[in-house]
Amino acid sequence: MSKKLKNWKEIPIGGLIVEPGNSKEYLTGDWRTFRPVHIPEKCINCMICWVNCPDSSILSKNGNFDKFDYDHCKGCGICANSCPVKAIEMKPEVDFDE
């Protein structure tokens, strides 16, 4: 006995974005298994990490690195991999007790 598949008009809408700029409402940081940690002594404030962060989770102040937005950082590690002076290290999320 075969089951009839639904066509595209019968499939319920999912993942619908109904208004722009709603990503701030969704705190996605709890998806993280690794957390970026800034090492200020090594940082040269080139902001390459800021440019490459896909989640806009690197916050700046006066054009310099300020802090991570851990509410939205998913721990992808792009910031650490793009840092030319290795001023960001990825640490296991379980090492942090919050």
Side-chain angles (χ1 to χ4, degrees), residues 3 26 30 38 44 50 54 61 71 76 82 86 92 94 97:
K3 189 175 183 180
Y26 302 102
D30 60 354
H38 183 241
I44 58 173
W50 179 83
K61 190 175 198 176
D71 286 337
C76 67
S82 66
K86 306 298 179 208
V94 296
D97 186 25

Side-chain angles (χ1 to χ4, degrees), residues 44-57:
I44 58 173
N45 289 302
C46 64
M47 300 307 288
I48 292 173
C49 57
W50 179 83
V51 170
N52 286 296
C53 178
D55 296 314
S56 299
S57 294

Side-chain angles (χ1 to χ4, degrees), residues 36 38 47 49-50 56-61 64-70:
H38 183 241
M47 300 307 288
C49 57
W50 179 83
S56 299
S57 294
I58 296 175
L59 306 178
S60 67
K61 190 175 198 176
N64 293 323
F65 182 97
D66 184 35
K67 60 184 176 180
F68 289 103
D69 173 3
Y70 288 123

Side-chain angles (χ1 to χ4, degrees), residues 3 8 12 23 27 41 49 54 56 67 90 92 96:
K3 189 175 183 180
W8 70 273
S23 63
L27 304 181
E41 309 83 55
C49 57
S56 299
K67 60 184 176 180
M90 299 302 291
F96 301 90

